[in-house]
Amino acid sequence: MRTPRNKGAGAEAVMNDAMQQFREILHERSLRVTNVREAIVRAALSRDDHFRVEGLVEDVSRDGLEVSVATVYRAIPLLVDAGLIEPAEVSGEKRFYEASFGREHHDHLICQRCHTVVEFQFDAFAMLERELAVKYDFELTGHFHELIGVCGNCRRKKGANGVH
Ligand SMILES: [Zn+2]
Ligand SMILES: [Zn+2]
């Protein structure tokens, strides 16, 4: 359900910009630029879906690098702070992430039966947020909009409990 990421030269430029931003975060925190850290960035930005940390571990390993789950978990906040990825689904037991660098922000509708995820943008949310922030004297730094429900397919399936 995600808009496909651009492939080709454009994608490469985005990757370079993202990597630059990541190196700056590492530099700020006196952390080294390592092959593994860069491989994690490339793997994360190559994903077009909502992924779990374990998925990234598999991607990096497939490229022939040895990486532990712990290493990837530790790298995740760096990627988030560098603006490369953001948490995509936070309401379930497992957290999902998605590549956000060079993409427009969006929110999610999630089907609790089949786990279909619909991405949407809705400007009115942004207006409401600003209003709430003023009302409660908050400076907003982010938000998670996750609407949970049952998708049309699941509701129309025979034997689905209830609504007929
Ligand atoms: Zn998304
Ligand atoms: Zn569904």
Side-chain angles (χ1 to χ4, degrees):
M1 285 288 176
R2 287 172 60 95
T3 44
R5 180 179 295 281
N6 291 333
K7 300 285 177 204
E12 204 169 299
V14 168
M15 186 71 86
N16 288 339
D17 289 351
M19 202 59 91
Q20 194 51 43
Q21 211 154 297
F22 182 63
R23 289 191 189 116
E24 276 164 28
I25 286 282
L26 292 180
H27 182 75
E28 269 172 29
R29 307 195 179 171
S30 309
L31 293 169
R32 280 188 310 128
V33 176
T34 63
N35 284 346
V36 167
R37 286 192 175 125
E38 291 199 334
I40 294 168
V41 168
R42 271 191 298 275
L45 292 178
S46 303
R47 299 289 294 232
D48 271 338
D49 58 349
H50 296 155
F51 56 85
R52 287 170 41 184
V53 171
E54 289 74 11
L56 276 193
V57 177
E58 281 167 28
D59 290 354
V60 174
S61 311
R62 207 176 302 120
D63 289 341
L65 277 172
E66 240 176 78
V67 65
S68 69
V69 177
T71 300
V72 179
Y73 266 102
R74 279 197 300 270
I76 291 292
L78 298 171
L79 272 73
V80 172
D81 292 349
L84 308 188
I85 63 171
E86 51 186 49
E89 296 172 45
V90 295
S91 62
E93 274 170 39
K94 280 282 179 184
R95 178 163 287 202
F96 288 78
Y97 292 87
E98 67 187 317
S100 55
F101 189 83
R103 290 178 57 98
E104 283 198 63
H105 178 77
H106 58 262
D107 293 306
H108 301 112
L109 285 154
I110 300 173
C111 176
Q112 64 198 32
R113 288 199 197 141
C114 70
H115 204 82
T116 286
V117 179
V118 180
E119 301 191 324
F120 70 91
Q121 289 173 298
F122 191 53
D123 294 339
F125 274 168
M127 284 160 57
L128 289 173
E129 270 166 30
R130 281 197 293 274
E131 213 165 287
L132 284 167
V134 170
K135 185 174 172 188
Y136 293 100
D137 188 25
F138 251 66
E139 185 183 301
L140 296 179
T141 53
H143 70 240
F144 301 109
H145 288 311
E146 225 160 270
L147 309 186
I148 316 296
V150 181
C151 75
N153 273 341
C154 285
R155 288 200 318 281
R156 283 185 288 273
K157 256 179 214 157
K158 270 215 173 98
N161 46 353
V163 221
H164 287 290

